[in-house]
């Protein structure tokens, strides 16, 4: 049983879909991660290795989430960033897996993106550890 704090019933999100619409819009892996709070296998997404200038956006609604200049190599196997685009993400408490973590989700559609940890580089000291399949990359 998941112990992720439930988001309000999509009422405050600008982009909403029924579960059937989400399933049609997303791949099965994206649906499992973004709508069911799953996690991709470490090192499995090509976007972890993306180094070009550009923007990482939500795969569910297209909201710009992170600029490539904020991406860094964390050694975790997931794309990591130290600063999101202002207003692009929200957080909730995730108490699944016997620990307390801070879940990151898209502020526009509520899709689960990953987690944020207080062990990142300056200037924020944060590490936004994001599932690569939850994002699309657009080169600058």
């Amino acid at each position: 049983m998941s112990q992720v704090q439930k988001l309000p019933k999509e009422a405050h999100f600008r982009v909403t879909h029924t579960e059937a619409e989400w399933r049609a819009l997303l791949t099965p892996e994206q649906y499992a991660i973004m709508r069911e709070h799953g996690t991709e296998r470490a090192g499995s997404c090509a976007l972890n290795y993306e180094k070009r200038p550009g923007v990482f956006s939500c795969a569910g609604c297209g909201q710009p989430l992170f600029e490539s200049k904020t991406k860094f190599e964390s050694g975790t196997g997931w794309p990591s960033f130290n600063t999101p685009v202002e207003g692009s993400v929200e957080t909730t408490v995730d108490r699944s897996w016997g620990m307390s973590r801070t879940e990151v989700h898209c502020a526009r559609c509520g899709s689960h993106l990953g987690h944020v940890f207080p062990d990142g580089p300056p200037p924020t000291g944060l590490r936004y550890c994001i599932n690569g399949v939850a994002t699309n990359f657009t080169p600058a």
Side-chain angles (χ1 to χ4, degrees):
M1 183 167 136
S2 176
Q3 293 184 13
V4 176
Q5 179 181 325
K6 294 293 184 192
L7 297 174
K9 186 66 177 161
E10 302 215 25
H12 82 280
F13 298 115
R14 289 180 284 159
V15 173
T16 61
H17 296 289
T18 66
E19 290 308 304
E21 290 169 337
W22 279 118
R23 286 185 187 278
L25 177 70
L26 303 171
T27 67
E29 183 180 24
Q30 287 174 323
Y31 185 86
I33 290 167
M34 298 175 73
R35 305 310 300 172
E36 296 179 329
H37 304 272
T39 301
E40 69 191 6
R41 187 173 45 83
S44 65
C45 184
L47 291 182
N48 188 44
Y49 309 101
E50 181 59 65
K51 307 273 191 239
R52 297 174 292 172
V55 175
F56 293 81
S57 301
C58 177
C61 70
Q63 163 109 313
L65 301 169
F66 300 95
E67 295 178 3
S68 60
K69 66 183 179 185
T70 67
K71 187 174 186 278
F72 66 96
E73 179 52 55
S74 65
T76 62
W78 290 278
S80 296
F81 306 86
N82 63 15
T83 308
V85 171
E86 188 172 340
S88 66
V89 301
E90 295 177 349
T91 61
T92 55
V93 175
D94 175 357
R95 290 192 174 87
S96 63
W97 300 98
M99 63 183 96
S100 183
R101 301 177 291 175
T102 303
E103 178 203 3
V104 178
H105 61 271
C106 176
R108 184 185 286 165
C109 71
S111 291
H112 171 77
L113 302 171
H115 293 86
V116 60
F117 301 95
D119 60 1
T124 63
L126 298 175
R127 173 175 52 95
Y128 287 83
C129 190
I130 304 300
N131 290 287
V133 299
T135 65
N136 292 321
F137 177 73
T138 304

